Amino acid sequence: MTVNGRRSVVDDAIDDIRLRIRQGEWGLGDRIPPEPELGKALGLSRAPLREALRALVHAGLLVTRQGDGTFVAAVDEQEVALRKGLQGADRFEAIEVRRSLDVPAAALAAQRRDQEDLDRLQDALERRRAAAEAHDDDGFRQADIDFHRGVVDAAHNQLLAGIYGSLAASIDGSWTSPAGLERAASTEHDNHDELFEAIRDRAAQDAMMVAGSILDNQASDLEGKPPRSTRS
């Protein structure tokens, strides 16, 4: 909002909060400080701060959860636009988009992962298998998303992580399938385990191949075809 060509306090606050998000002070999904703390940090009174927060919620960068606080929903407006474009996307197209992100991310993860990344991936794998064995569809899907997002986070590329976060939040139904759940439940070692091992062993080429095979299997599941294996 400007008056006679001059920027308002609210405009400055919006830009300040947006910049802090872009610079990673608050990451995707993080809760921003409560209003009294945030107002003090920005040098704002309650009214302009609330107006700035409302504007950022309307823009899609923040989301307010009643009784829980305000959270970062997107890193920038381009991510918001991407999310809107992905909503209701064709599942085969969604897999194609994921392929353009998952495969190079797997290679970067193999090169850059640290022990914290490996621990996170191992935890997601264990939850994924437990959910599969219990035939817990929701738990399986969430653990699967957590695993793949963990791979992307292990690439240590903030822009890639932001794009992928929007993908995970927007595309429903392309991440898992009943066939994928049954496959995970019936085998002690599937291609997700292979991807973890390739990243652990810093085998970038193997990681790329396995990441591609996971998406091949998802596409085959949608077509009702037998899954492909990365093993010769």
Side-chain angles (χ1 to χ4, degrees):
M1 179 187 301
T2 58
V3 179
N4 296 327
R6 300 177 61 186
R7 292 175 56 80
S8 71
V9 173
V10 174
D11 291 324
D12 290 338
I14 290 171
D15 286 347
D16 194 347
I17 296 171
R18 184 187 286 119
L19 180 62
R20 290 172 185 244
I21 293 172
R22 286 178 178 172
Q23 292 180 337
E25 182 172 339
W26 309 306
L28 190 66
D30 287 350
R31 182 171 60 182
I32 67 172
E35 287 186 10
E37 181 182 340
L38 184 59
K40 184 177 181 181
L42 298 178
L44 284 177
S45 61
R46 186 175 184 181
L49 174 61
R50 287 194 165 182
E51 188 174 345
L53 292 177
R54 281 196 297 268
L56 290 168
V57 168
H58 180 73
L61 295 181
L62 298 176
V63 60
T64 299
R65 300 173 189 166
Q66 191 66 33
D68 202 11
T70 302
F71 296 78
V72 177
V75 174
D76 56 33
E77 284 80 356
Q78 290 182 337
E79 186 179 332
V80 175
L82 174 65
R83 179 176 299 165
K84 290 180 179 177
L86 290 171
Q87 289 175 347
D90 176 86
R91 289 186 294 175
F92 287 101
E93 291 185 355
I95 290 174
E96 289 177 352
V97 172
R98 281 191 59 193
R99 191 182 302 278
S100 71
L101 300 175
D102 283 47
V103 174
L108 290 174
Q111 296 165 8
R112 300 174 179 175
R113 97 294 185 277
D114 56 28
Q115 187 58 49
E116 183 178 350
D117 296 320
L118 294 179
D119 291 344
R120 179 182 174 187
L121 291 173
Q122 184 69 59
D123 173 72
L125 275 180
E126 291 174 357
R127 288 188 288 110
R128 183 177 181 274
R129 182 169 303 285
E133 292 174 350
H135 288 83
D136 175 3
D137 291 343
D138 290 339
F140 179 74
R141 180 178 181 277
Q142 187 58 57
D144 192 75
I145 292 174
D146 289 347
F147 176 80
H148 289 289
R149 290 189 67 170
V151 171
V152 172
D153 287 344
H156 295 280
N157 181 310
Q158 185 175 354
L159 179 59
L160 177 62
I163 294 171
Y164 206 83
S166 289
L167 190 71
S170 302
I171 296 179
D172 186 21
S174 69
W175 294 89
T176 59
S177 66
L181 187 151
E182 290 299 330
R183 192 159 53 244
S186 63
T187 179
E188 295 181 358
H189 191 280
D190 69 8
N191 47 19
H192 287 70
D193 297 291
E194 293 176 13
L195 179 53
F196 170 79
E197 291 163 2
I199 292 171
R200 180 196 63 197
D201 298 342
R202 299 191 186 278
Q205 290 296 324
D206 289 345
M208 292 175 67
M209 180 179 68
V210 179
S213 75
I214 289 173
L215 293 167
D216 288 341
N217 282 346
Q218 290 192 2
S220 296
D221 290 342
L222 290 178
E223 296 172 340
K225 296 179 179 179
R228 305 175 189 180
S229 173
T230 59
R231 296 183 179 276
S232 57

